[in-house]
Amino acid sequence: MGPVTRVGVTVTFLRMDQAPRDKAPGLAAGFQIVRALEPSVPFYRYLYNTVGADYLWWLRRTTPDDELAALLRDKAVAIYTLYAKGEPAGFFELDARPWPDVNLSYFGLMPGAIGHGTGFAFLRAAVDEVWRHGARGMTVNTCTADHPRALPNYIRAGFHVVRQVRETWAVPNYLNMRIPTRLKL
């Protein structure tokens, strides 16, 4: 694997056992969500790498293309892209392989879409999509490398904290990730 940088994060695991009762906020004008029916590996990597660059999303960067392609072909895995005026503004990934639970594997906005009041409406769209299909539960996790509003937004959307775990990650240096000093061990 080569040289790595060791980082310490606290991972928070969350769960939702019933659909939210309140009406979800709508997306602002000019925004739409589109499910990618057959996402390509390069398109997925563009979404993942751009959204996750500031939050140390590194695991899928190390996943070989053939493994990632197999995941993207799996009918139980769904990729949804948020578009703003025709450009990608974020994405989420739903993994229904542990059915009847569904995991919100990845969720985030492109850097230019952060701070404009779109995140919560987009998150609720992901949550509502899961419950629309009859799931019995929904899970997600976040960590201290993620955006500081991630955990509060998950709780606001209806998730509750199940547990927190302190993890040490060995992030490969060849990825050239920007690693916040506060996370370095």
Side-chain angles (χ1 to χ4, degrees):
M1 179 157 80
V4 299
T5 299
R6 295 176 56 78
V7 299
V9 297
T10 299
V11 180
T12 302
F13 296 85
L14 301 105
R15 181 171 180 85
M16 186 184 302
D17 292 305
Q18 61 184 12
R21 290 186 173 93
D22 60 327
K23 184 175 174 8
L27 293 170
F31 286 88
Q32 66 176 351
I33 300 170
V34 177
R35 180 176 180 180
L37 299 179
E38 295 180 20
S40 67
V41 169
F43 181 67
Y44 181 86
R45 287 199 188 281
Y46 163 71
L47 295 172
Y48 180 90
N49 293 350
T50 306
V51 168
D54 291 334
Y55 308 109
L56 207 52
W57 289 12
W58 65 278
L59 285 173
R60 291 274 172 88
R61 289 174 185 245
T62 64
T63 303
D65 283 353
D66 60 333
E67 287 180 34
L68 192 52
L71 176 80
L72 295 173
R73 282 192 306 269
D74 192 316
K75 298 300 181 201
V77 175
I79 309 300
Y80 292 81
T81 306
L82 175 68
Y83 286 91
K85 300 177 185 170
E87 288 188 5
F91 88 105
F92 63 82
E93 177 180 330
L94 299 176
D95 183 352
R97 291 177 296 178
W99 188 263
D101 284 347
V102 176
N103 186 53
L104 177 58
S105 301
Y106 291 98
F107 172 88
L109 297 173
M110 298 285 185
I114 294 171
H116 300 285
T118 304
F120 186 71
F122 186 44
L123 175 58
R124 274 301 304 271
V127 168
D128 292 349
E129 181 66 18
V130 167
W131 294 107
R132 199 174 3 264
H133 293 286
R136 283 196 303 192
M138 186 174 182
T139 58
V140 67
N141 66 63
T142 187
C143 73
T144 49
D146 285 338
H147 193 283
R149 286 194 301 266
L151 181 57
N153 272 331
Y154 289 135
I155 291 170
R156 180 179 168 205
F159 289 94
H160 63 272
V161 174
V162 174
R163 64 189 162 99
Q164 291 186 315
V165 176
R166 186 75 179 156
E167 292 184 359
T168 300
W169 296 345
V171 180
N173 291 349
Y174 76 86
L175 296 174
N176 296 314
M177 301 289 300
R178 291 184 301 262
I179 301 175
T181 303
R182 66 183 170 79
L183 298 176
K184 291 182 183 179
L185 296 177

